[in-house]
Amino acid sequence: MNKKIIFHILALFTAMVWGSTFAVSKVLLNQGMSPAEIMTLRFIIAYLVMLPFSHKYLKSKSFKDEFLFIVCGIGGGSLYFLAENTAVEITKATSTIALLVCLTPLLTAFVNSIIHKDEKLSKRFLIGSIIALLGTALVVFNGIFVLDDNPIVILLSLLACVCWTIYSLVVRKLEPDYGSDVITRKVFFWGVLTMMIYFIFSPIKTTTEMLTNGKVLFCILFLALVASLGCYLMWNMILKRIGIVTASNYLYFNPIVALATANIVLNEKITIFAIIGCIFTIFGVYLCNTHKKVIEKYKK
């Protein structure tokens, strides 16, 4: 099997796991935990599990590199989660957030092509992105076409989109000098540390009693060990092997898995619009990831 195909499969798997985290997080939210507490717990556990196996470069090679790691911790951790989850808390139309956050692959591709001018986007890629985004929209709305015109919700959703784009681009810059494990561990560390600022203004609600609940413990460990430790580590390896543009396109599958998981866990209905959207998304991602004119320079 072609080595790159393996990383395409891993990218799809990672996107599927991240798509399932919406339903898992919903279980924890229903138990009384806040989004910030969920993110902090999952990152702390992931960091502590990683540390015995990855303790190289506790200090970066330079102050500049450490600053970039801080940016990764904020963009791929604290600010991303705060922006997205705050938007969820103040809106009744979560489809608005899901749709705007799904602009991430397209935004990442455009910004990357501007920074790296030798990596131009083909018409095939742009057509594929539009089709995938249309499919994602159908999945997100799932037959109920409601949008929130609250500018705060829109701005927070776009901020989450920008955060993940910045995270991906900065990880690309760090990859030549640091392994994926070091980058992942640093993201967890700075994600937790920068989130502490939030807790100065918002008291912690999670109690020991909550954490001894079997359902809560299972969900936290899934988010920490699978969705955080496993998937962040894989994602940073994937970015290195197949490039941020190709990898980011798999994020279009997040809403599909989120919808399927919500149907199983939360009994949410799936409509014909969502099924058609799935087909559009798969076809669009296929077009994107088989384009020929995007040249990305990564180590083999």
Side-chain angles (χ1 to χ4, degrees):
M1 182 184 288
N2 187 312
K3 287 185 178 180
K4 281 198 173 184
I5 293 178
I6 295 174
F7 287 100
H8 282 275
I9 294 171
L10 289 176
L12 178 59
F13 173 77
T14 302
M16 290 174 69
V17 171
W18 282 341
S20 71
T21 60
F22 293 101
V24 177
S25 296
K26 185 71 173 177
V27 173
L28 296 177
L29 291 170
N30 290 339
Q31 293 293 322
M33 296 180 67
S34 72
E37 290 165 3
I38 295 170
M39 176 250 147
T40 303
L41 267 176
R42 61 189 276 190
F43 272 29
I44 288 175
I45 294 171
Y47 180 83
L48 292 176
V49 171
M50 276 198 79
L51 194 56
F53 306 99
S54 174
H55 45 264
K56 189 178 181 182
Y57 295 122
L58 289 177
K59 291 184 179 180
S60 303
K61 295 179 180 179
S62 67
F63 176 79
K64 178 185 176 182
D65 287 353
E66 196 65 51
F67 173 75
L68 291 177
F69 281 124
I70 295 173
V71 172
C72 283
I74 295 172
S78 56
L79 187 56
Y80 171 80
F81 280 96
L82 281 176
E84 185 175 68
N85 289 309
T86 301
V88 170
E89 287 181 328
I90 63 177
T91 184
K92 293 181 179 179
T94 55
S95 54
T96 304
I97 302 162
L99 184 59
L100 291 174
V101 170
C102 280
L103 289 172
T104 302
L106 201 53
L107 178 62
T108 301
F110 275 117
V111 175
N112 184 71
S113 66
I114 292 171
I115 295 174
H116 305 280
K117 296 183 179 179
D118 58 332
E119 300 176 12
K120 300 301 180 183
L121 302 178
S122 66
K123 289 182 180 179
R124 181 188 178 95
F125 174 86
L126 294 174
I127 293 171
S129 293
I130 293 170
I131 293 173
L133 190 59
L134 175 60
T136 300
L138 289 171
V139 172
V140 165
F141 289 122
N142 195 24
I144 304 173
F145 298 91
V146 179
L147 284 172
D148 191 332
D149 59 358
N150 185 335
I152 297 176
V153 172
I154 293 171
L155 287 173
L156 286 171
S157 303
L158 290 175
L159 177 59
C161 176
V162 170
C163 280
W164 194 260
T165 296
I166 291 172
Y167 168 76
S168 299
L169 291 167
V170 175
V171 166
R172 172 177 180 174
K173 188 171 181 62
L174 289 165
E175 280 169 350
D177 299 313
Y178 299 93
S180 298
D181 61 321
V182 175
I183 296 172
T184 304
R185 195 194 71 236
K186 287 280 193 178
V187 169
F188 294 152
F189 177 80
W190 286 112
V192 170
L193 207 61
T194 53
M195 185 63 86
M196 291 301 107
I197 299 171
Y198 172 82
F199 289 121
I200 295 174
F201 305 98
S202 178
I204 296 175
K205 302 175 184 177
T206 303
T207 63
T208 305
E209 186 180 352
M210 286 184 191
L211 298 178
T212 55
N213 180 301
K215 183 190 292 185
V216 169
L217 187 59
F218 173 81
C219 290
I220 289 173
L221 290 177
F222 172 79
L223 292 174
L225 302 180
V226 181
S228 294
L229 176 57
C231 287
Y232 269 78
L233 188 57
M234 279 194 294
W235 190 253
N236 291 336
M237 293 170 58
I238 291 161
L239 292 178
K240 183 176 182 178
R241 297 296 181 175
I242 63 175
I244 62 174
V245 174
T246 301
S248 294
N249 286 325
Y250 285 101
L251 296 177
Y252 284 122
F253 286 106
N254 277 7
I256 295 176
V257 181
L259 182 67
T261 310
N263 173 258
I264 297 169
V265 178
L266 306 173
N267 296 316
E268 292 188 6
K269 184 181 178 182
I270 296 177
T271 68
I272 187 64
F273 293 99
I275 294 172
I276 295 171
C278 291
I279 297 170
F280 271 61
T281 301
I282 292 169
F283 180 62
V285 172
Y286 169 78
L287 287 179
C288 288
N289 288 353
T290 54
H291 65 288
K292 303 298 183 182
K293 295 183 181 180
V294 175
I295 305 170
E296 296 188 291
K297 301 173 181 177
Y298 289 89
K299 294 180 182 178
K300 295 182 178 180

